Amino acid sequence: MDKDVQSARVIINDTTLRDGEQSPGVGFTTEEKVKIALLLESAGVTELEVGIPAMGEQERETIKTITRHLTQAEAMGWCRMLAEDVQRASNLGLDWLDLSVPVSHQQMKHKLNKTLTDVLMGCERIIQQALESGMKVCVGMEDASRADHDVLYRVLEVAELSGASRIRFADTLGILDPFTTYQIISEIRSKTDLQLEMHAHNDLGMATANSLAAIRAGADSINTTVNGLGERAGNAALEEITVALNVLNQAETGVDLLKLDELCRYVQIASGRQSTPQKAIVGECVFTHESGIHVDGLLKDINNYQGVSPSLVGRTHQMVLGKHSGIQAIESIYAGMGIRLTKAQCELIKVQLVHWSETYKCVPDPQQLRHFTSMILHKA
């Protein structure tokens, strides 16, 4: 069932501090986690998955520090569907627990070595324990994209009867496409009144698309990570989801898009993972134009080549010179530097740009551009 795109409200449950930190080689300090949490909260993200209590005392102390600093966003802890995990998550200031349980035959048999009956009985008992500890419960259906649908529905039924508030559908291996996602989430939506959350991985490069498909099919909540951090190829990127929902007018998230740039840049530093120059929304080059046809079009009317306004995220278009630059772009950019060129001089500069781009594989800076003019004037 498609949501009313004019009135839909989607909860962003950001898991940068949990699943994002599971990126190989990434490890945040407590201070970095608090800073990221506060930047997320300031940006309007209302739910943060902040860690895994079962990891040890240091992790639990970090979780307590984060929850003490939060004033508006709710905090969620990630637990296995185990009594000892729930016990360790108590008294940490958490509002939610995601109780994760494998639901595919592959993982029930070869990871847990349990039958479906065993899993369902465990769910009832552990959900009750978490509720008695004063926390809301999300039942995380691990490997749901490989599970039989009748198994998913039985887990849904147990979760609902046991008092859970939400179900998380996890495409743990990132194997779905948007069409299948829409179909499955629509079917689940028709079976339950519980909140429904989508957890997408990016192994096939479709985490954002699958999350948007889930929203259109009726999902209430989406897991994200800043810059798409996460296991293997990562998770659905917070900046991609929130900007896409805004541009496509699909749903409201309450996230202040103007605060994404600072948040994403800080997470790049704290994670040690720099985004590629053409990473959607936050990449250095995503609002940068070199092609002569595109620059000419932008100079005539910005809407000729603008699908996403950079002003949404506090950025601007940049025009640079390179191998594909045309005469008008060369003339315009040099004029902006206070240098007036004739058409003939622009043609000579164009030759220099082709050589530079093929040799150095980068955009020439203003100093180099001035050097080009010195070269052609010297030849003259």
Side-chain angles (χ1 to χ4, degrees), residues 13-28 33 36 49-52 199 201 223-236 267 270-273:
N13 179 303
D14 188 84
T15 183
T16 301
L17 300 177
R18 196 276 296 179
D19 211 342
E21 195 186 33
Q22 290 176 207
S23 302
V26 172
F28 300 124
K33 283 192 170 186
I36 292 168
E49 193 168 52
V50 296
I52 305 172
H199 180 90
H201 277 267
N223 285 145
T224 64
T225 58
V226 179
N227 299 332
L229 289 174
E231 296 271 4
R232 304 181 312 278
N235 294 50
V267 172
S271 66
R273 296 291 183 86

Side-chain angles (χ1 to χ4, degrees), residues 92-120:
L92 300 181
L94 294 168
D95 303 286
W96 285 85
L97 284 187
D98 177 71
L99 300 177
S100 181
V101 61
V103 292
S104 66
H105 174 75
Q106 169 67 35
Q107 290 201 1
M108 283 191 291
K109 179 175 177 59
H110 298 286
K111 178 180 175 181
L112 298 183
N113 193 27
K114 290 184 177 180
T115 65
L116 175 60
T117 301
D118 294 333
V119 168
L120 295 176

